[in-house]
Amino acid sequence: MKSSLPVAAVCDRRKTGDGHRPPLQKAFTLLELLVVIGIIAATAFFLFRGLVGGGKSAALQSSQATLANLVTSARTKAAATGHKTRLLVSNDPGEPERYLRFVVLQVGRQTGANPAEWETVQSVFLPPGVYVVPGSLTGLVTDVAQWKRVSDATDDLDSDLFANQSLAYVFEGDANAQIWTGVAFTPNGTLAALGGGPPPKGSIVIALGQLRPPGSYAPGQPAVQLADPAGVRGLLLSAYGVPALLNDRNAF
């Protein structure tokens, strides 16, 4: 059955309560949508870059705090037990996954300056991409001239505390001895050499880097390439083994 209402009456039903028609709804054009999508994509890109950079910085800072805590623990345990303690850092190129990232805290089972046996009380891996710089930069950087200390342009930005501090040691579960670097502590909490001699002195440097692709380096060469000398942190140890934080390159 057809409606008997006039056309004007039907049109009036579309009016609002006050007798006025509602304004027309304007939709986004395709061009406007593409512009909005582009802005969102650009914002996400820069946010992602910021998060990645922040993650590396956070990993570096976390590693610095970890090493500071290990140094403090080593000093404390030496004084509490009356036994020599030591921190070892894997320095064997033949172990790429451990190399300059695996840190071990040990306490001598016997008293004296040279315990025959050691007990591991803590071991940690630094976050991927963060490395403890050894006492030499050989093979680790492409241009040693860029890795110089701010305080002395003739001195390499390496861990001088570990200079000439090296030993071969069979870690628990290993079949063969590996090469380690590090530092020891006397029962008084002062610094001591790993294998005898005068106490070492200086700083520990921590840097960002990456593993080299297999086959891109010769056997015996480091499997790690350090990244940027501007992005480093570290510790300065006093003669008493107390660590002070070094938060950027200018502190070295």
Side-chain angles (χ1 to χ4, degrees):
M1 180 177 180
K2 295 183 179 180
S3 172
S4 59
L5 292 174
V7 175
V10 175
C11 293
D12 286 343
R13 290 181 179 178
R14 299 178 183 175
K15 297 178 181 179
T16 60
D18 58 3
H20 294 85
R21 285 188 175 88
L24 294 176
Q25 300 283 337
K26 183 180 179 181
F28 286 108
T29 67
L30 178 60
L31 178 60
E32 289 172 328
L33 287 174
L34 290 176
V35 170
V36 171
I37 292 172
I39 292 174
I40 293 174
T43 303
F45 172 75
F46 285 110
L47 284 175
F48 176 76
R49 288 189 63 183
L51 288 174
V52 170
K56 291 181 179 179
S57 177
L60 200 62
Q61 186 173 359
S62 173
S63 299
Q64 180 191 37
T66 297
L67 287 179
N69 289 334
L70 286 172
V71 168
T72 302
S73 295
R75 295 182 67 248
T76 302
K77 290 184 181 298
T81 62
H83 289 207
K84 189 176 182 179
T85 62
R86 66 186 185 185
L87 282 181
L88 298 180
V89 180
S90 175
N91 194 26
D92 198 313
E95 295 287 337
E97 295 302 321
R98 285 186 183 179
Y99 185 59
L100 304 180
R101 288 185 53 228
F102 188 50
V103 186
V104 177
L105 169 57
Q106 296 183 323
V107 179
R109 294 184 184 274
Q110 298 84 24
T111 58
N114 296 295
E117 299 176 332
W118 294 84
E119 177 185 1
T120 299
V121 296
Q122 191 173 358
S123 60
V124 299
F125 274 96
L126 299 184
V130 180
Y131 298 92
V132 179
V133 181
S136 171
L137 293 172
T138 302
L140 290 170
V141 299
T142 55
D143 187 359
V144 178
Q146 295 182 356
W147 287 77
K148 297 295 181 181
R149 293 175 181 265
V150 174
S151 59
D152 185 353
T154 65
D155 193 10
D156 290 345
L157 186 59
D158 54 23
S159 297
D160 50 355
L161 184 69
F162 297 153
N164 302 316
Q165 301 298 309
S166 181
L167 56 79
Y169 174 71
V170 182
F171 186 68
E172 301 160 9
D174 290 348
N176 302 308
Q178 306 293 333
I179 304 300
W180 303 78
T181 188
V183 65
F185 299 85
T186 70
N188 295 327
T190 58
L191 292 178
L194 282 181
K201 59 181 180 179
S203 59
I204 302 173
V205 183
I206 314 165
L208 297 173
Q210 59 277 328
L211 283 174
R212 294 174 172 175
S216 64
Y217 56 95
Q221 289 186 336
V224 169
Q225 182 79 52
L226 298 183
D228 184 7
V232 296
R233 283 178 175 262
L235 306 173
L236 177 65
L237 271 63
S238 70
Y240 296 99
V242 178
L245 301 183
L246 303 176
N247 293 329
D248 53 47
R249 183 177 183 176
N250 292 327
F252 290 92

